[in-house]
Amino acid sequence: VVLGGDLNAELDSDELAPLRQTDLTDFQDVRKAPREERTSIIHIPHHGEALHQVIDYILISPELKEKVAAGESGVYRYKGFYDIPDPLPTTMREKFRLPSDHYPLVLTLRY
């Protein structure tokens, strides 16, 4: 099983408690990715600093854990002209320049 999407909440939230009762695992846990690498959306309030949120997930069955190609999986960062990842936005103007308000998740499985 592979279940992915914008779940609009952190995985440890009350809303997602039913998912935690399954045997599904966040592929980012398999990769041992630090939280800062998992940011999939930036919320920029009118006053204050940008909030880095993790609300997009790809959850996988236990039998797929060993098939995750960790080096080819993760959160895709949009790139600039020289194919260098752009820094995460800190203002609404920077955020509006992105192709989407979410950063895509990429999961590569090796069979």
mmCIF file of all heavy atoms in Angstrom, residues 46-97:
data_model
loop_
_atom_site.group_PDB
_atom_site.id
_atom_site.type_symbol
_atom_site.label_atom_id
_atom_site.label_comp_id
_atom_site.label_asym_id
_atom_site.label_seq_id
_atom_site.Cartn_x
_atom_site.Cartn_y
_atom_site.Cartn_z
ATOM 1 N N HIS A 46 0.580 37.316 8.504
ATOM 2 C CA HIS A 46 0.719 38.750 8.233
ATOM 3 C C HIS A 46 1.810 39.375 9.097
ATOM 4 O O HIS A 46 2.539 40.244 8.657
ATOM 5 C CB HIS A 46 -0.610 39.476 8.457
ATOM 6 C CG HIS A 46 -1.654 39.082 7.471
ATOM 7 N ND1 HIS A 46 -1.570 39.386 6.133
ATOM 8 C CD2 HIS A 46 -2.798 38.383 7.618
ATOM 9 C CE1 HIS A 46 -2.608 38.904 5.494
ATOM 10 N NE2 HIS A 46 -3.381 38.289 6.370
ATOM 11 N N HIS A 47 1.900 38.938 10.322
ATOM 12 C CA HIS A 47 2.929 39.443 11.227
ATOM 13 C C HIS A 47 3.656 38.241 11.815
ATOM 14 O O HIS A 47 3.038 37.356 12.382
ATOM 15 C CB HIS A 47 2.308 40.268 12.359
ATOM 16 C CG HIS A 47 1.496 41.420 11.851
ATOM 17 N ND1 HIS A 47 2.065 42.529 11.278
ATOM 18 C CD2 HIS A 47 0.162 41.615 11.792
ATOM 19 C CE1 HIS A 47 1.116 43.359 10.908
ATOM 20 N NE2 HIS A 47 -0.047 42.834 11.204
ATOM 21 N N GLY A 48 4.923 38.192 11.657
ATOM 22 C CA GLY A 48 5.692 37.100 12.233
ATOM 23 C C GLY A 48 6.510 36.368 11.201
ATOM 24 O O GLY A 48 6.502 36.682 10.014
ATOM 25 N N GLU A 49 7.202 35.369 11.689
ATOM 26 C CA GLU A 49 8.106 34.590 10.845
ATOM 27 C C GLU A 49 7.357 33.502 10.082
ATOM 28 O O GLU A 49 6.297 33.054 10.499
ATOM 29 C CB GLU A 49 9.176 33.942 11.719
ATOM 30 C CG GLU A 49 10.164 34.926 12.305
ATOM 31 C CD GLU A 49 11.302 34.218 13.011
ATOM 32 O OE1 GLU A 49 11.653 33.096 12.612
ATOM 33 O OE2 GLU A 49 11.827 34.790 13.962
ATOM 34 N N ALA A 50 7.951 33.078 8.991
ATOM 35 C CA ALA A 50 7.398 31.985 8.195
ATOM 36 C C ALA A 50 7.387 30.705 9.028
ATOM 37 O O ALA A 50 8.346 30.413 9.740
ATOM 38 C CB ALA A 50 8.228 31.798 6.931
ATOM 39 N N LEU A 51 6.284 29.966 8.924
ATOM 40 C CA LEU A 51 6.141 28.712 9.651
ATOM 41 C C LEU A 51 6.341 27.553 8.681
ATOM 42 O O LEU A 51 5.620 27.428 7.687
ATOM 43 C CB LEU A 51 4.756 28.620 10.294
ATOM 44 C CG LEU A 51 4.372 29.755 11.222
ATOM 45 C CD1 LEU A 51 2.902 29.650 11.609
ATOM 46 C CD2 LEU A 51 5.251 29.739 12.455
ATOM 47 N N HIS A 52 7.292 26.709 8.971
ATOM 48 C CA HIS A 52 7.574 25.548 8.130
ATOM 49 C C HIS A 52 6.699 24.403 8.628
ATOM 50 O O HIS A 52 6.812 23.996 9.776
ATOM 51 C CB HIS A 52 9.042 25.177 8.216
ATOM 52 C CG HIS A 52 9.937 26.249 7.690
ATOM 53 N ND1 HIS A 52 11.188 25.983 7.197
ATOM 54 C CD2 HIS A 52 9.776 27.587 7.551
ATOM 55 C CE1 HIS A 52 11.743 27.110 6.789
ATOM 56 N NE2 HIS A 52 10.900 28.098 7.002
ATOM 57 N N GLN A 53 5.843 23.900 7.749
ATOM 58 C CA GLN A 53 4.905 22.865 8.144
ATOM 59 C C GLN A 53 5.113 21.581 7.354
ATOM 60 O O GLN A 53 5.560 21.608 6.203
ATOM 61 C CB GLN A 53 3.462 23.346 7.939
ATOM 62 C CG GLN A 53 3.121 24.554 8.795
ATOM 63 C CD GLN A 53 1.707 25.025 8.545
ATOM 64 O OE1 GLN A 53 1.320 25.275 7.415
ATOM 65 N NE2 GLN A 53 0.935 25.114 9.616
ATOM 66 N N VAL A 54 4.769 20.477 8.003
ATOM 67 C CA VAL A 54 4.804 19.163 7.366
ATOM 68 C C VAL A 54 3.371 18.639 7.411
ATOM 69 O O VAL A 54 2.898 18.198 8.457
ATOM 70 C CB VAL A 54 5.758 18.197 8.099
ATOM 71 C CG1 VAL A 54 5.787 16.842 7.404
ATOM 72 C CG2 VAL A 54 7.153 18.786 8.199
ATOM 73 N N ILE A 55 2.677 18.726 6.269
ATOM 74 C CA ILE A 55 1.299 18.254 6.207
ATOM 75 C C ILE A 55 1.056 17.359 4.990
ATOM 76 O O ILE A 55 -0.038 16.871 4.781
ATOM 77 C CB ILE A 55 0.285 19.418 6.214
ATOM 78 C CG1 ILE A 55 0.493 20.332 5.015
ATOM 79 C CG2 ILE A 55 0.367 20.192 7.521
ATOM 80 C CD1 ILE A 55 -0.589 21.401 4.856
ATOM 81 N N ASP A 56 2.089 17.131 4.210
ATOM 82 C CA ASP A 56 2.011 16.254 3.048
ATOM 83 C C ASP A 56 2.806 14.991 3.370
ATOM 84 O O ASP A 56 3.920 15.069 3.910
ATOM 85 C CB ASP A 56 2.605 16.940 1.810
ATOM 86 C CG ASP A 56 1.869 18.217 1.470
ATOM 87 O OD1 ASP A 56 0.711 18.113 1.040
ATOM 88 O OD2 ASP A 56 2.442 19.310 1.651
ATOM 89 N N TYR A 57 2.236 13.850 3.018
ATOM 90 C CA TYR A 57 2.860 12.584 3.407
ATOM 91 C C TYR A 57 2.727 11.552 2.303
ATOM 92 O O TYR A 57 1.791 11.592 1.507
ATOM 93 C CB TYR A 57 2.181 12.016 4.661
ATOM 94 C CG TYR A 57 2.344 12.897 5.865
ATOM 95 C CD1 TYR A 57 1.380 13.839 6.190
ATOM 96 C CD2 TYR A 57 3.472 12.806 6.665
ATOM 97 C CE1 TYR A 57 1.526 14.671 7.289
ATOM 98 C CE2 TYR A 57 3.627 13.629 7.765
ATOM 99 C CZ TYR A 57 2.660 14.562 8.071
ATOM 100 O OH TYR A 57 2.819 15.383 9.150
ATOM 101 N N ILE A 58 3.668 10.622 2.318
ATOM 102 C CA ILE A 58 3.529 9.369 1.586
ATOM 103 C C ILE A 58 3.772 8.283 2.624
ATOM 104 O O ILE A 58 4.872 8.178 3.185
ATOM 105 C CB ILE A 58 4.526 9.244 0.422
ATOM 106 C CG1 ILE A 58 4.299 10.360 -0.609
ATOM 107 C CG2 ILE A 58 4.369 7.871 -0.245
ATOM 108 C CD1 ILE A 58 5.301 10.367 -1.756
ATOM 109 N N LEU A 59 2.728 7.510 2.882
ATOM 110 C CA LEU A 59 2.804 6.424 3.855
ATOM 111 C C LEU A 59 2.889 5.110 3.096
ATOM 112 O O LEU A 59 2.208 4.923 2.076
ATOM 113 C CB LEU A 59 1.574 6.444 4.763
ATOM 114 C CG LEU A 59 1.281 7.786 5.447
ATOM 115 C CD1 LEU A 59 -0.025 7.712 6.226
ATOM 116 C CD2 LEU A 59 2.424 8.197 6.350
ATOM 117 N N ILE A 60 3.719 4.198 3.596
ATOM 118 C CA ILE A 60 3.955 2.945 2.882
ATOM 119 C C ILE A 60 3.790 1.742 3.807
ATOM 120 O O ILE A 60 3.961 1.846 5.023
ATOM 121 C CB ILE A 60 5.361 2.924 2.236
ATOM 122 C CG1 ILE A 60 6.455 3.084 3.293
ATOM 123 C CG2 ILE A 60 5.469 3.992 1.157
ATOM 124 C CD1 ILE A 60 7.867 2.937 2.758
ATOM 125 N N SER A 61 3.480 0.602 3.203
ATOM 126 C CA SER A 61 3.385 -0.668 3.929
ATOM 127 C C SER A 61 4.765 -1.127 4.381
ATOM 128 O O SER A 61 5.780 -0.775 3.756
ATOM 129 C CB SER A 61 2.804 -1.755 3.021
ATOM 130 O OG SER A 61 1.489 -1.463 2.660
ATOM 131 N N PRO A 62 4.820 -1.932 5.433
ATOM 132 C CA PRO A 62 6.116 -2.414 5.948
ATOM 133 C C PRO A 62 6.975 -3.101 4.884
ATOM 134 O O PRO A 62 8.193 -2.931 4.870
ATOM 135 C CB PRO A 62 5.732 -3.396 7.048
ATOM 136 C CG PRO A 62 4.369 -2.986 7.478
ATOM 137 C CD PRO A 62 3.699 -2.413 6.250
ATOM 138 N N GLU A 63 6.358 -3.864 3.982
ATOM 139 C CA GLU A 63 7.144 -4.603 2.981
ATOM 140 C C GLU A 63 7.816 -3.683 1.957
ATOM 141 O O GLU A 63 8.693 -4.129 1.212
ATOM 142 C CB GLU A 63 6.296 -5.669 2.279
ATOM 143 C CG GLU A 63 5.093 -5.133 1.555
ATOM 144 C CD GLU A 63 3.830 -5.065 2.407
ATOM 145 O OE1 GLU A 63 3.905 -5.134 3.648
ATOM 146 O OE2 GLU A 63 2.756 -4.915 1.815
ATOM 147 N N LEU A 64 7.447 -2.410 1.936
ATOM 148 C CA LEU A 64 8.070 -1.474 0.999
ATOM 149 C C LEU A 64 9.246 -0.711 1.610
ATOM 150 O O LEU A 64 9.996 -0.066 0.883
ATOM 151 C CB LEU A 64 7.032 -0.475 0.478
ATOM 152 C CG LEU A 64 5.916 -1.065 -0.377
ATOM 153 C CD1 LEU A 64 4.911 0.005 -0.756
ATOM 154 C CD2 LEU A 64 6.490 -1.731 -1.610
ATOM 155 N N LYS A 65 9.412 -0.779 2.908
ATOM 156 C CA LYS A 65 10.469 -0.005 3.574
ATOM 157 C C LYS A 65 11.843 -0.273 2.979
ATOM 158 O O LYS A 65 12.604 0.658 2.710
ATOM 159 C CB LYS A 65 10.501 -0.310 5.073
ATOM 160 C CG LYS A 65 9.353 0.251 5.836
ATOM 161 C CD LYS A 65 9.519 -0.126 7.304
ATOM 162 C CE LYS A 65 8.366 0.316 8.136
ATOM 163 N NZ LYS A 65 8.539 -0.053 9.551
ATOM 164 N N GLU A 66 12.158 -1.518 2.763
ATOM 165 C CA GLU A 66 13.496 -1.863 2.249
ATOM 166 C C GLU A 66 13.673 -1.496 0.781
ATOM 167 O O GLU A 66 14.779 -1.517 0.259
ATOM 168 C CB GLU A 66 13.778 -3.349 2.448
ATOM 169 C CG GLU A 66 12.863 -4.251 1.650
ATOM 170 C CD GLU A 66 13.050 -5.720 1.977
ATOM 171 O OE1 GLU A 66 13.283 -6.043 3.144
ATOM 172 O OE2 GLU A 66 12.962 -6.526 1.036
ATOM 173 N N LYS A 67 12.600 -1.116 0.118
ATOM 174 C CA LYS A 67 12.672 -0.760 -1.298
ATOM 175 C C LYS A 67 12.808 0.750 -1.528
ATOM 176 O O LYS A 67 12.985 1.194 -2.648
ATOM 177 C CB LYS A 67 11.439 -1.289 -2.017
ATOM 178 C CG LYS A 67 11.342 -2.814 -1.969
ATOM 179 C CD LYS A 67 10.161 -3.323 -2.703
ATOM 180 C CE LYS A 67 9.973 -4.815 -2.649
ATOM 181 N NZ LYS A 67 11.039 -5.663 -2.295
ATOM 182 N N VAL A 68 12.740 1.551 -0.461
ATOM 183 C CA VAL A 68 12.843 3.003 -0.592
ATOM 184 C C VAL A 68 14.268 3.385 -0.988
ATOM 185 O O VAL A 68 15.232 3.026 -0.299
ATOM 186 C CB VAL A 68 12.446 3.713 0.726
ATOM 187 C CG1 VAL A 68 12.733 5.212 0.635
ATOM 188 C CG2 VAL A 68 10.981 3.468 1.040
ATOM 189 N N ALA A 69 14.417 4.073 -2.104
ATOM 190 C CA ALA A 69 15.711 4.604 -2.531
ATOM 191 C C ALA A 69 15.867 5.969 -1.853
ATOM 192 O O ALA A 69 15.428 7.001 -2.377
ATOM 193 C CB ALA A 69 15.766 4.722 -4.050
ATOM 194 N N ALA A 70 16.472 5.955 -0.665
ATOM 195 C CA ALA A 70 16.534 7.149 0.186
ATOM 196 C C ALA A 70 17.165 8.342 -0.522
ATOM 197 O O ALA A 70 16.685 9.471 -0.392
ATOM 198 C CB ALA A 70 17.282 6.839 1.478
ATOM 199 N N GLY A 71 18.215 8.134 -1.275
ATOM 200 C CA GLY A 71 18.914 9.231 -1.947
ATOM 201 C C GLY A 71 18.136 9.858 -3.091
ATOM 202 O O GLY A 71 18.458 10.948 -3.548
ATOM 203 N N GLU A 72 17.106 9.170 -3.569
ATOM 204 C CA GLU A 72 16.295 9.670 -4.681
ATOM 205 C C GLU A 72 14.900 10.059 -4.233
ATOM 206 O O GLU A 72 14.040 10.346 -5.068
ATOM 207 C CB GLU A 72 16.204 8.595 -5.759
ATOM 208 C CG GLU A 72 17.543 8.219 -6.358
ATOM 209 C CD GLU A 72 17.415 7.050 -7.316
ATOM 210 O OE1 GLU A 72 16.382 6.947 -8.010
ATOM 211 O OE2 GLU A 72 18.341 6.241 -7.358
ATOM 212 N N SER A 73 14.663 10.061 -2.940
ATOM 213 C CA SER A 73 13.339 10.361 -2.397
ATOM 214 C C SER A 73 13.441 11.561 -1.464
ATOM 215 O O SER A 73 14.507 11.863 -0.941
ATOM 216 C CB SER A 73 12.807 9.147 -1.634
ATOM 217 O OG SER A 73 12.736 8.014 -2.467
ATOM 218 N N GLY A 74 12.316 12.212 -1.237
ATOM 219 C CA GLY A 74 12.289 13.346 -0.317
ATOM 220 C C GLY A 74 11.335 14.419 -0.797
ATOM 221 O O GLY A 74 10.414 14.153 -1.568
ATOM 222 N N VAL A 75 11.559 15.628 -0.329
ATOM 223 C CA VAL A 75 10.755 16.780 -0.746
ATOM 224 C C VAL A 75 11.530 17.511 -1.832
ATOM 225 O O VAL A 75 12.682 17.892 -1.633
ATOM 226 C CB VAL A 75 10.466 17.723 0.446
ATOM 227 C CG1 VAL A 75 9.640 18.921 -0.006
ATOM 228 C CG2 VAL A 75 9.753 16.978 1.567
ATOM 229 N N TYR A 76 10.896 17.678 -2.977
ATOM 230 C CA TYR A 76 11.546 18.373 -4.086
ATOM 231 C C TYR A 76 11.571 19.867 -3.795
ATOM 232 O O TYR A 76 10.563 20.461 -3.439
ATOM 233 C CB TYR A 76 10.802 18.110 -5.399
ATOM 234 C CG TYR A 76 11.392 18.873 -6.556
ATOM 235 C CD1 TYR A 76 12.519 18.397 -7.206
ATOM 236 C CD2 TYR A 76 10.844 20.081 -6.972
ATOM 237 C CE1 TYR A 76 13.081 19.102 -8.256
ATOM 238 C CE2 TYR A 76 11.393 20.790 -8.018
ATOM 239 C CZ TYR A 76 12.517 20.300 -8.653
ATOM 240 O OH TYR A 76 13.083 21.011 -9.682
ATOM 241 N N ARG A 77 12.720 20.464 -3.946
ATOM 242 C CA ARG A 77 12.868 21.917 -3.793
ATOM 243 C C ARG A 77 12.973 22.536 -5.180
ATOM 244 O O ARG A 77 13.789 22.115 -6.004
ATOM 245 C CB ARG A 77 14.125 22.254 -2.973
ATOM 246 C CG ARG A 77 14.100 21.720 -1.564
ATOM 247 C CD ARG A 77 13.023 22.400 -0.746
ATOM 248 N NE ARG A 77 13.060 21.908 0.627
ATOM 249 C CZ ARG A 77 11.984 21.626 1.325
ATOM 250 N NH1 ARG A 77 10.793 21.782 0.808
ATOM 251 N NH2 ARG A 77 12.086 21.197 2.556
ATOM 252 N N TYR A 78 12.112 23.528 -5.414
ATOM 253 C CA TYR A 78 12.141 24.217 -6.698
ATOM 254 C C TYR A 78 13.511 24.841 -6.923
ATOM 255 O O TYR A 78 14.149 25.301 -5.989
ATOM 256 C CB TYR A 78 11.048 25.286 -6.758
ATOM 257 C CG TYR A 78 9.667 24.698 -6.564
ATOM 258 C CD1 TYR A 78 8.886 25.057 -5.478
ATOM 259 C CD2 TYR A 78 9.171 23.768 -7.467
ATOM 260 C CE1 TYR A 78 7.624 24.508 -5.301
ATOM 261 C CE2 TYR A 78 7.919 23.204 -7.296
ATOM 262 C CZ TYR A 78 7.154 23.582 -6.212
ATOM 263 O OH TYR A 78 5.914 23.032 -6.039
ATOM 264 N N LYS A 79 13.934 24.828 -8.179
ATOM 265 C CA LYS A 79 15.283 25.277 -8.507
ATOM 266 C C LYS A 79 15.260 26.543 -9.347
ATOM 267 O O LYS A 79 14.313 26.810 -10.078
ATOM 268 C CB LYS A 79 16.024 24.176 -9.260
ATOM 269 C CG LYS A 79 16.215 22.931 -8.417
ATOM 270 C CD LYS A 79 16.897 21.841 -9.182
ATOM 271 C CE LYS A 79 17.045 20.615 -8.300
ATOM 272 N NZ LYS A 79 17.657 19.517 -9.028
ATOM 273 N N GLY A 80 16.351 27.280 -9.248
ATOM 274 C CA GLY A 80 16.518 28.507 -10.015
ATOM 275 C C GLY A 80 17.185 28.237 -11.346
ATOM 276 O O GLY A 80 17.350 27.104 -11.784
ATOM 277 N N PHE A 81 17.634 29.311 -11.951
ATOM 278 C CA PHE A 81 18.202 29.282 -13.296
ATOM 279 C C PHE A 81 19.375 28.312 -13.431
ATOM 280 O O PHE A 81 19.505 27.613 -14.412
ATOM 281 C CB PHE A 81 18.625 30.703 -13.695
ATOM 282 C CG PHE A 81 19.152 30.798 -15.084
ATOM 283 C CD1 PHE A 81 18.289 30.754 -16.168
ATOM 284 C CD2 PHE A 81 20.506 30.928 -15.318
ATOM 285 C CE1 PHE A 81 18.766 30.834 -17.458
ATOM 286 C CE2 PHE A 81 20.997 31.011 -16.617
ATOM 287 C CZ PHE A 81 20.126 30.961 -17.688
ATOM 288 N N TYR A 82 20.241 28.251 -12.453
ATOM 289 C CA TYR A 82 21.432 27.405 -12.533
ATOM 290 C C TYR A 82 21.213 26.028 -11.921
ATOM 291 O O TYR A 82 22.155 25.347 -11.546
ATOM 292 C CB TYR A 82 22.621 28.097 -11.870
ATOM 293 C CG TYR A 82 23.071 29.319 -12.638
ATOM 294 C CD1 TYR A 82 22.788 30.583 -12.169
ATOM 295 C CD2 TYR A 82 23.749 29.190 -13.841
ATOM 296 C CE1 TYR A 82 23.180 31.711 -12.873
ATOM 297 C CE2 TYR A 82 24.147 30.305 -14.558
ATOM 298 C CZ TYR A 82 23.861 31.561 -14.067
ATOM 299 O OH TYR A 82 24.237 32.670 -14.775
ATOM 300 N N ASP A 83 19.964 25.609 -11.821
ATOM 301 C CA ASP A 83 19.603 24.300 -11.283
ATOM 302 C C ASP A 83 20.007 24.143 -9.812
ATOM 303 O O ASP A 83 20.273 23.061 -9.339
ATOM 304 C CB ASP A 83 20.223 23.176 -12.135
ATOM 305 C CG ASP A 83 19.422 21.891 -12.037
ATOM 306 O OD1 ASP A 83 18.187 21.948 -11.917
ATOM 307 O OD2 ASP A 83 20.048 20.812 -12.071
ATOM 308 N N ILE A 84 20.050 25.271 -9.113
ATOM 309 C CA ILE A 84 20.368 25.286 -7.687
ATOM 310 C C ILE A 84 19.054 25.492 -6.937
ATOM 311 O O ILE A 84 18.283 26.395 -7.289
ATOM 312 C CB ILE A 84 21.354 26.427 -7.354
ATOM 313 C CG1 ILE A 84 22.669 26.200 -8.096
ATOM 314 C CG2 ILE A 84 21.580 26.542 -5.853
ATOM 315 C CD1 ILE A 84 23.612 27.392 -8.037
ATOM 316 N N PRO A 85 18.768 24.657 -5.921
ATOM 317 C CA PRO A 85 17.520 24.843 -5.176
ATOM 318 C C PRO A 85 17.411 26.253 -4.594
ATOM 319 O O PRO A 85 18.354 26.773 -4.013
ATOM 320 C CB PRO A 85 17.611 23.797 -4.064
ATOM 321 C CG PRO A 85 18.531 22.756 -4.604
ATOM 322 C CD PRO A 85 19.536 23.500 -5.447
ATOM 323 N N ASP A 86 16.253 26.854 -4.798
ATOM 324 C CA ASP A 86 15.980 28.177 -4.237
ATOM 325 C C ASP A 86 15.793 28.058 -2.731
ATOM 326 O O ASP A 86 15.309 27.032 -2.240
ATOM 327 C CB ASP A 86 14.705 28.768 -4.841
ATOM 328 C CG ASP A 86 14.877 29.173 -6.299
ATOM 329 O OD1 ASP A 86 16.006 29.528 -6.687
ATOM 330 O OD2 ASP A 86 13.875 29.155 -7.038
ATOM 331 N N PRO A 87 16.128 29.104 -1.984
ATOM 332 C CA PRO A 87 15.845 29.070 -0.545
ATOM 333 C C PRO A 87 14.334 29.063 -0.316
ATOM 334 O O PRO A 87 13.564 29.515 -1.175
ATOM 335 C CB PRO A 87 16.492 30.349 -0.011
ATOM 336 C CG PRO A 87 16.707 31.217 -1.197
ATOM 337 C CD PRO A 87 16.766 30.337 -2.406
ATOM 338 N N LEU A 88 13.920 28.546 0.819
ATOM 339 C CA LEU A 88 12.498 28.552 1.157
ATOM 340 C C LEU A 88 12.032 29.995 1.296
ATOM 341 O O LEU A 88 12.779 30.854 1.764
ATOM 342 C CB LEU A 88 12.259 27.780 2.449
ATOM 343 C CG LEU A 88 12.609 26.290 2.398
ATOM 344 C CD1 LEU A 88 12.429 25.657 3.767
ATOM 345 C CD2 LEU A 88 11.787 25.568 1.354
ATOM 346 N N PRO A 89 10.796 30.288 0.893
ATOM 347 C CA PRO A 89 10.319 31.671 0.937
ATOM 348 C C PRO A 89 10.173 32.182 2.365
ATOM 349 O O PRO A 89 9.861 31.426 3.286
ATOM 350 C CB PRO A 89 8.959 31.590 0.245
ATOM 351 C CG PRO A 89 8.520 30.180 0.419
ATOM 352 C CD PRO A 89 9.777 29.363 0.414
ATOM 353 N N THR A 90 10.402 33.472 2.517
ATOM 354 C CA THR A 90 10.226 34.124 3.818
ATOM 355 C C THR A 90 9.177 35.231 3.742
ATOM 356 O O THR A 90 8.787 35.771 4.766
ATOM 357 C CB THR A 90 11.548 34.717 4.331
ATOM 358 O OG1 THR A 90 12.046 35.640 3.369
ATOM 359 C CG2 THR A 90 12.577 33.616 4.576
ATOM 360 N N THR A 91 8.745 35.559 2.516
ATOM 361 C CA THR A 91 7.721 36.590 2.315
ATOM 362 C C THR A 91 6.644 36.045 1.374
ATOM 363 O O THR A 91 6.893 35.087 0.616
ATOM 364 C CB THR A 91 8.309 37.871 1.692
ATOM 365 O OG1 THR A 91 8.752 37.559 0.351
ATOM 366 C CG2 THR A 91 9.471 38.416 2.511
ATOM 367 N N MET A 92 5.480 36.669 1.396
ATOM 368 C CA MET A 92 4.410 36.263 0.486
ATOM 369 C C MET A 92 4.820 36.490 -0.971
ATOM 370 O O MET A 92 4.478 35.691 -1.834
ATOM 371 C CB MET A 92 3.121 37.023 0.803
ATOM 372 C CG MET A 92 2.436 36.538 2.062
ATOM 373 S SD MET A 92 2.060 34.762 2.064
ATOM 374 C CE MET A 92 0.775 34.678 0.844
ATOM 375 N N ARG A 93 5.555 37.541 -1.221
ATOM 376 C CA ARG A 93 6.008 37.805 -2.590
ATOM 377 C C ARG A 93 6.847 36.628 -3.106
ATOM 378 O O ARG A 93 6.659 36.169 -4.229
ATOM 379 C CB ARG A 93 6.798 39.105 -2.639
ATOM 380 C CG ARG A 93 7.499 39.316 -3.984
ATOM 381 C CD ARG A 93 8.089 40.679 -4.102
ATOM 382 N NE ARG A 93 7.059 41.414 -4.834
ATOM 383 C CZ ARG A 93 6.869 42.705 -4.766
ATOM 384 N NH1 ARG A 93 7.610 43.449 -4.028
ATOM 385 N NH2 ARG A 93 5.919 43.275 -5.461
ATOM 386 N N GLU A 94 7.766 36.130 -2.288
ATOM 387 C CA GLU A 94 8.583 34.974 -2.683
ATOM 388 C C GLU A 94 7.723 33.722 -2.855
ATOM 389 O O GLU A 94 7.924 32.950 -3.788
ATOM 390 C CB GLU A 94 9.673 34.715 -1.635
ATOM 391 C CG GLU A 94 10.729 35.782 -1.567
ATOM 392 C CD GLU A 94 11.671 35.606 -0.379
ATOM 393 O OE1 GLU A 94 11.426 34.752 0.498
ATOM 394 O OE2 GLU A 94 12.650 36.352 -0.337
ATOM 395 N N LYS A 95 6.763 33.549 -1.959
ATOM 396 C CA LYS A 95 5.902 32.368 -2.027
ATOM 397 C C LYS A 95 5.049 32.373 -3.295
ATOM 398 O O LYS A 95 4.853 31.333 -3.926
ATOM 399 C CB LYS A 95 5.016 32.292 -0.784
ATOM 400 C CG LYS A 95 4.184 31.036 -0.715
ATOM 401 C CD LYS A 95 3.426 30.944 0.593
ATOM 402 C CE LYS A 95 2.531 29.731 0.586
ATOM 403 N NZ LYS A 95 1.847 29.521 1.839
ATOM 404 N N PHE A 96 4.540 33.548 -3.683
ATOM 405 C CA PHE A 96 3.703 33.643 -4.878
ATOM 406 C C PHE A 96 4.476 33.351 -6.158
ATOM 407 O O PHE A 96 3.880 33.063 -7.195
ATOM 408 C CB PHE A 96 3.042 35.019 -4.974
ATOM 409 C CG PHE A 96 1.905 35.214 -4.007
ATOM 410 C CD1 PHE A 96 1.683 36.453 -3.436
ATOM 411 C CD2 PHE A 96 1.059 34.168 -3.656
ATOM 412 C CE1 PHE A 96 0.634 36.655 -2.549
ATOM 413 C CE2 PHE A 96 0.012 34.352 -2.769
ATOM 414 C CZ PHE A 96 -0.206 35.597 -2.217
ATOM 415 N N ARG A 97 5.787 33.417 -6.115
ATOM 416 C CA ARG A 97 6.607 33.120 -7.299
ATOM 417 C C ARG A 97 6.777 31.617 -7.530
ATOM 418 O O ARG A 97 7.244 31.205 -8.586
ATOM 419 C CB ARG A 97 7.983 33.778 -7.152
ATOM 420 C CG ARG A 97 7.921 35.272 -7.281
ATOM 421 C CD ARG A 97 9.294 35.873 -7.232
ATOM 422 N NE ARG A 97 9.211 37.331 -7.324
ATOM 423 C CZ ARG A 97 10.008 38.157 -6.711
ATOM 424 N NH1 ARG A 97 11.003 37.698 -5.972
ATOM 425 N NH2 ARG A 97 9.863 39.452 -6.841
#
